[in-house]
Structures are given as C-alpha cells and as structure tokens.
C-alpha cells in the first residue's frame, strides 16, 4: 500500500536532483577577487598561518557554494626580511592589483606597510599585536592587541599587595614601546617600576645571567616578562640557576610567551614552574574542536613522529579574518553587482567599510573590528604547573576589568578572584616584601638604634627577658614598630644599640648605613640635605623646625609697670595733669565745682583728671570746649587702657626675652649650626647641651636665657618637667624634622613613608605623641607660632597724644581769647560809665555857677 505522506518528500528530492543536474550542466561563473598574502614561508608561524588561510577559504566556499565571488590568493615570501615585505606589497599593488593584503605576521614588517596610507586604499589585515602609531584606517589589526593585558597585569600585582616591579622586555623598538604602555598601566595602580631591563634576542646565556644577577640585587621580587618564547626560555633557565624561581618570587608572563606555551620543550616548562601568565582566550566550540582535530590530522600526516603542539593563535585569527574578508567580498557583490565591473577596479574603500560591519562567530569567538582592531571579552590566566599551564581564572575586559574564576557566571560573588595559585617554590601564598629583604642571604633586618638615649621618652632600648632580644620603645621606637608591622614583611629585626658616649655622632651612624654595614637607623635623626646624599629618609614623623624654650618669669611686685615704657608712663602722667589744668582754666570762672579755696581747686582738678582713667568723673562741665577736650581724651584713655591690659596679660603668661646680648643653649646632637643664624640670635654666646637634665639646669640657674632645639626635644623636656617652669615661646621652620634612615635605593624608605603618612592621617601618630610627650603638668602653649608680647612705648602711640595735645591746646587758646575779649568788653563799659559820670559832674558844676551868679 502506497504511503501518501511520502509524496511531498519525493517531489522535493526530485526537484533538488534536477537543480543540481542543471547546475552541473551549466556551471556558474564567479567573480574573482585578488588578495595578496605576505608571509615568511620559511618560519613555523608563517607556515601555520598560510595553512589556516587555505583551510579557511576552502571551508568557507564549501559551506557557501552558492556565493558568486571567489578569493584568489597571491602569495609572496618575505624570508623574514622587513624590506622584502615592503617590496612584496609594492609588487602586489602595482602589478597584481590586489584588493586586500593579509600579513605580514611580524610587527616590524607590519610597520613598513604603514607607509601605504596615502598610496594604497585597500585593507591590510595585519598580525601585529601592538598598536600602530599613525592609525592608518586601512591597517586592520586582526590579532589581539597585547597592550590590553597590561591593565590586567597591574591589577594582579596590586591584588597581591606588591608596590614595585621589574619589567623585562626584548631589546627592540617594539619592546621599548610596550614598556611605556606597561609603566602607564602600573602608574594607574600606584605601582613603581623600579627598573626596566632590555635583553636582546641574540644574547647568550652568559649575558642573560649577568643581567638577571644585576636585577637580583635590586631587592624587588616581582618580575613582568614580555619577550619572545625563545628568549623567555633562556631567561627562566638562567633565573632558575640563580635561585630566582624560589619561594617569595613572583613572575608574570605576557601573552607574547604564553600564547605559545605548548610549543616550548619540557625543559623550558620545568624552568617556568610557578609563573603566572596571560594568554588569549578562545571559547570552546564544536567548530574549534573540528578545526583543531583537522590540524592535528594534517600535522601527523606530514610529521608522523613529531608531537602536535597545538594551534598557533595567529592561525585562529587568520582563519576568522579570511572568513570575514570573504563575507565582505560577497556583500559587495550583492550590493554593487561586482560581476558587472572590471576586476581591476579598486574596491578597497568599499571592502574596508564592509569589513568594519562584519560581525560573525568564528573559531576565536566573536569576530568584530572596533576602530580597526579585533575585540576581546576576556583573557585567560594560567599558572605554569607540571607539564603546561593550568587555568586559574579570567580577566574580564568586556566588563571593565576584574578577575573571575569562571567566565560563564562573572557576577557571582563566589566567582570573584582567582583559583589558588602555586607560586615558585611550591607555596600557595606569596610575600615578595619578605623575600626582597632576604636578598644576598640577609635573614634579619639589622637596625641601629640609640642604646642609651639621653631623651628616654623619645628613644630607648629594652630587652625581652624571655628571649634576651633587644627591642625598641619610646616615641620613635613605637612609630617605627607601628609602621613596620603594618607592612607585614614577616622579617625578624635585629636591633644594634649605639652610644653617644664613645664620641660617635649621628653623622657617623649615617656613614655606616651608607657603607651598608647596617640596613637602617631609627631614632631622633634630623633630615638634612647633606645626609640625604648618603641615605634615603622617610617622611618626617615629627613637627618641622626648631623652637626656643625659656624659663617662665617669676613675677615681681612691680610687674604692673612693665606693659608701658618709662617715656609712655611720664607722657601719660603729664597729659593727665595738663588735662586737669585745661579743664580748670576753662571752668573755674563760671563753674562753682571748680571754685573755692586754692586747696579745694587743686584737689578737684586732680580728681577730675585721673578719674577719667576709669570714666568716674562726676563734675558737670559747662563749657563746650571742656566737653570737646574730655571726649578726645577719653578715646585716648580707651586705647591706652586696652593696650595695657592686653600686654600685661601676655607678660603674666610668657616671659619676654630680649634677643640682644643673651646666652643661648644649643641641642648638641642635632645639626643646629645652620639654623642658629636664621633665628636672628646675635651678639650672644652659645653652648651645646645634650640631655633634658642639662636643659633644666641651664635654664633654672640662669646660665642660659633660652635654648634652641628641635621641637620634639622641647616637647620631651616639657613632658618631664613642670609646665610652670618652662615654656616654648617661639618656633622657626628651619629644619626638616626627624626621619628614619635607610640604605640608598631601599624600597623600605618609600613604603615606611606611606605608612607614616597614613598614621598621621588616622591619628595614630598623634596618639603616640600624646603617650610619650604629653603630661597634665606640661602647660604647653597651644599656639607655638604666636609672637612674643612687646611693651608699649610713646613712639607707637605718639599719634594719639598728638591729637589729644592739639585739642587741649586749641581749647586753651580759645578760652584765653574769650577771656581777653571779655576783659576788653568790660573795659569799654567802664570807660563809657566814666564818661557818663564825668558829663554829669560838669553839668552839676555849671548849674552851681549859674546859681552863684544869680
């Protein structure tokens, strides 16, 4: 019985057979596009790339037989010569009229093709792993940009709390350029590149050994290697001989080596044990598995007795690039009817545009060009263990950076970070700081410290009765312990005391550090320019500058006279008396309060004048001139009394020292000779003092008026003695404070400085200072920089007295004029009265004569 359900299937098969038959009878005509291939056909990389290109074009057109375009390769062999690459490119452009170029495989050869920017507008698919400086838009970088991994390397160094690295690069132009990129990446993480070593690829083992030996003495345990696989083999082999692949070292290798890790021999892999590397990541897929299987089969067909080492990453990138190029060529055919055009016409610009639009899933994952470069979402992090590399995580570039253990779940909190890494020496933890202190066989950090410090609260040495080992305490000792312990070096410290009694000075100690007899010196070491030429100092952990300490004044019964100078006292008294006279002169003629007996008038005048000092005058003034004079004088009194009160308060707090013709004590250990003149202390005599007892005795006995010393020494003195006895009266920022001294080039100086800065910010330094240098009895001035009080003199206030004196003189003058005018007016009246009286007398006599006559 016939199954009718099979009819549609049979009909479809028949139509397909007919279509294939017609196609066979009438073969389709294809549009052929010439593409140049420039490779070093004698190198292993060139052979692999060419084989992958051939496989890609075959696989592409097998999968797409209906496409109307075909790529025809025109191959040129450079034989490893950069100039040959340039010559081959010119030949392909001028004679063959190619529409695109694939290759060359080396960065040096690719740089030569950069000159075609204005001559050949065709895509050039380069295998260069470094960015092009000129950014020719036709130069397409199909290999992964190796600079993208430098941020990952910096992040790894920062992840393991390292702050210094040494970079080892190949001594080529590209190697030096890559070093610049790496330094920039490290600077973003505040990581210091202590040294960049450039080793030539032609260097023999002895030259590599000498270079590594030099690096070994730099006490930096983190190395970043960016060299070719062949040179990396020599570097790690010599490093192993020097013991630089042991515990504490950290080696990070870039993709320039790890991308070809499988191609290295077993001896090279053995020397790299514990190193961590970054390599290009190709996600697993069925297509990639088939491709690798096909490459393996071809390899064993050609070399049956040679082990298959895997597929070169350049081969995978070349395969995907050819797929993208063939896709772009077909799209041009579809959109512009390429078949109707002359094949000699340059379609490079259109082909470039289509290449930039291509987005396909290739063997290496997503293939897409952004700004002329392939994009990568992640890099694989491997740990060289056993016979090869063990994956420990990924660096996610697509999400802005970050380490994850599995790429499929990057957002999981448990997925953050890396798997356990087995470092050189077989350890799973690393402390490069500890190992760099053990370079040259040093197992302890040997430190010089004042054994019998003259200031015990600044520096003192103690012995643990259980271990009989010396320790450090005091302010400087506690600061050092807190900063050093925060670094977590895990290195034992050996404290070697030194004494001042044997005649040695701090400069002698600095000399011992310079000669590398000891690793460091801690204590009250003043930072100076000269000492900095021989050692590296940390940041200062004390106040900058020096101060002057003096004995507080023992107040006498006449201290109230001190605020004003003698000439000002005399002038003030004169003006009080003059004011009384002026007021009496103006008022006594008309004001009953200023009249009476002579004794009463004098008493009233003096009372009124001096009562203005406290504004207690009660006499009522009748003249406007008197009121004017008193108003001006009250203002003068206000200024005078206010200044007197302020100066007297200052004198009761701090002793005023005359800096002329006085004796000065200098702290004997610090280099204060330079700052002596800067304090303007002249015409005096000085003497060196060493201990706080010497300070107190010198000031108490009056042998010295003041002592110039580092502020920390003065704080120590004030903490040990009553603040009522001594005071810090002035400071001058003329020294750089105290710091710890380390050998030149020691990383400890920089790291300890960082910790000291942190301690200052979080208050730890202030707490330690309060612990050792602050007591309740130490009445230290809060404002050390405030100027010493100055007594008031007539010269400074002469303007006030001038105004008041002029007002009194004018009032007295106007009053005298009024008196004169009044007297003249009275005299005129008397004269007129006399005239009237005289006229009356004459009339009376005349009348008498008339009567007599009659």
């Amino acid at each position: 019985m016939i199954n009718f359900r099979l009819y549609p299937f049979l009909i479809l098969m028949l139509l397909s057979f007919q279509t294939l038959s017609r196609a066979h009878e009438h073969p389709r005509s294809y549009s052929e596009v010439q593409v140049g291939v420039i490779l070093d056909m004698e190198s292993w990389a060139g052979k692999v790339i060419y084989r992958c290109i051939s496989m890609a074009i075959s696989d592409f057109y097998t999968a797409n037989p209906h496409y109307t375009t075909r790529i025809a390769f025109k191959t040129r062999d450079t034989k490893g010569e950069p100039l040959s690459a340039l010559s081959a490119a010119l030949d392909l452009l001028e004679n063959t009229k190619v529409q695109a170029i694939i290759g060359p495989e080396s960065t040096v050869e690719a740089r030569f093709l950069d000159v075609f920017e204005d001559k050949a507008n065709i895509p050039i698919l380069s295998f260069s792993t470094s960015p092009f400086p000129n950014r020719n838009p036709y130069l397409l970088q199909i290999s992964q940009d190796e600079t993208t991994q430098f941020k990952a390397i910096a992040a790894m160094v920062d992840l393991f709390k390292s702050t210094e690295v040494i970079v080892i690069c190949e001594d080529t132009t590209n190697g030096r350029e890559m070093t610049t990129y790496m330094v920039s990446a490290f600077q973003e993480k505040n990581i210091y590149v202590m040294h960049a070593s450039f080793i030539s690829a032609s260097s023999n083992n002895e030259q590599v050994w000498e270079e590594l030996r030099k690096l070994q003495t730099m006490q930096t345990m983190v190395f970043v290697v960016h060299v070719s696989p062949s040179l990396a083999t020599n570097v790690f082999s010599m490093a192993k001989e020097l013991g630089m692949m042991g515990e504490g070292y950290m080696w990070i290798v870039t993709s320039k080596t790890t991308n070809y890790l499988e191609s290295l021999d077993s001896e090279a892999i053995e020397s790299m044990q514990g190193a961590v590397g970054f390599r290009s990541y190709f996600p697993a897929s069925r297509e990639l598995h088939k491709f690798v299987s096909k490459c393996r089969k071809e390899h064993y067909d050609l070399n049956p007795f040679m082990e298959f080492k895997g597929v070169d990453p350049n081969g995978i990138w070349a395969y995907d690039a050819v797929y993208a190029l063939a896709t772009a060529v077909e799209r041009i055919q579809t959109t512009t009817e390429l078949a109707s055009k002359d094949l000699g016409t340059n379609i490079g610009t259109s082909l470039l545009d289509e290449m930039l639009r291509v987005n396909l899933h290739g063997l290496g994952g997503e293939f897409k060009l952004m700004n002329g470069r392939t994009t990568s979402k992640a890099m694989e992090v491997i740990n060289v263990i056993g016979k090869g590399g063990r994956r420990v995580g990924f660096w996610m570039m697509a999400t802005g950076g970050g380490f994850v253990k599995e790429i499929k779940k990057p957002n999981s909190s448990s997925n953050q970070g890396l798997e356990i890494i087995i470092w050189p020496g077989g350890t799973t933890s690393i402390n490069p700081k500890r190992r760099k202190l053990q370079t040259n066989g040093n197992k302890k950090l040997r430190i010089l410290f004042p054994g019998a410090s003259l200031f015990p609260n600044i520096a003192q040495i103690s012995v643990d009765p259980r271990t009989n080992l010396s320790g450090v305490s005091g302010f400087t000792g506690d600061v050092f312990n807190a900063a050093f312990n925060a670094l977590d070096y895990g290195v034992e410290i050996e404290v070697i005391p030194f004494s001042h009694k044997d005649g040695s000075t701090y400069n002698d100690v600095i000399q011992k550090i310079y000669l590398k007899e000891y690793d460091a010196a801690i204590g009250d070491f003043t930072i100076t320019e000269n000492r900095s030429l021989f050692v590296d100092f940390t940041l200062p952990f004390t106040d900058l500058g020096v101060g002057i300490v003096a004995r507080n004044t023992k107040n006498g019964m006449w201290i109230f006279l001190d605020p004003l100078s003698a000439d000002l006292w005399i002038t003030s008294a004169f003006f009080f008396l003059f004011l009384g006279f002026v007021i009496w002169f103006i008022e006594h003629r008309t004001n009953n309060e200023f009249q009476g007996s002579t004794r009463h008038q004098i008493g009233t005048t003096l009372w009124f004048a001096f009562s203005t000092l406290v504004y207690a005058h009660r006499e009522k003034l009748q003249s406007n001139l008197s009121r004017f004079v008193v108003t001006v004088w009250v203002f003068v009194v206000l200024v005078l009394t206010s200044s007197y009160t302020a100066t007297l308060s200052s004198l009761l707090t701090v002793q005023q020292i005359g800096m002329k013709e006085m004796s000065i004590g200098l702290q004997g250990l610090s280099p204060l000779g330079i700052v002596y003149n800067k304090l303007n202390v002249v015409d005096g005599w000085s003497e060196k003092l060493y201990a706080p007892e010497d300070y107190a005795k010198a000031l108490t006995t009056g042998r010295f008026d003041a002592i110039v010393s580092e502020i920390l020494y003065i704080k120590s003195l004030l903490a040990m003695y009553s603040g009522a006895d001594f005071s810090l009266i002035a400071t001058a920022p003329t020294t750089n404070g105290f710091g710890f001294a380390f050998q030149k080039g020691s990383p400890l100086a920089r790291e300890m400085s960082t910790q000291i800065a942190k301690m200052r910010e979080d208050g730890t330094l202030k707490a330690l200072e309060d612990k050792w240098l602050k007591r309740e009895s130490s009445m230290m001035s809060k404002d050390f920089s405030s100027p010493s009080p100055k007594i008031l003199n007539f010269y400074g206030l002469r303007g006030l007295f001038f105004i008041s004196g002029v007002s009194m003189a004018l009032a007295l003058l106007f009053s005298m004029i009024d008196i004169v005018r009044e007297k003249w007016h009275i005299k005129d009246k008397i004269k007129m009265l006399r005239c009237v009286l005289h006229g009356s007398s004459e009339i009376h006599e005349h009348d008498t004569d008339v009567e007599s006559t009659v």
Side-chain angles (χ1 to χ4, degrees), residues 36-51:
V37 177
I38 303 176
L39 297 170
D40 180 8
M41 302 305 294
E42 297 180 359
S43 67
W44 177 76
K47 293 176 181 179
V48 170
I49 292 174
Y50 186 74
R51 185 165 66 248

Side-chain angles (χ1 to χ4, degrees), residues 527 544-547 671-672 674-676 678-679 708 731-737:
I527 303 172
L544 304 185
V546 297
L672 296 179
I674 299 175
V675 305
Y676 184 79
K678 293 182 180 180
L679 290 172
V708 179
T731 62
T734 53
T735 63
N736 300 312

Side-chain angles (χ1 to χ4, degrees), residues 10 114 155 217 253 328 342 433 447 491 495 518 548 558 563 575 686 732 736 755 777 843 850:
L10 294 174
D114 199 18
T217 62
V253 190
D342 180 7
K433 297 177 180 179
I447 296 177
V491 176
V495 179
Y518 301 93
I548 300 178
W558 304 109
F575 267 78
S686 63
N736 300 312
Q755 289 301 320
S777 61
I843 294 172
V850 171

Side-chain angles (χ1 to χ4, degrees), residues 327-366:
T327 301
V329 168
E330 182 63 26
R331 288 180 181 178
I332 294 177
Q333 157 67 14
T334 304
T335 57
T336 63
E337 297 182 359
L338 180 62
S340 63
K341 291 187 175 184
D342 180 7
L343 294 181
T345 303
N346 191 325
I347 60 170
T349 302
S350 301
L351 189 56
L352 174 65
D353 294 339
E354 289 298 332
M355 281 289 295
L356 296 176
R357 295 191 187 101
V358 169
N359 187 357
L360 56 86
H361 185 78
L363 299 179
E366 183 183 17

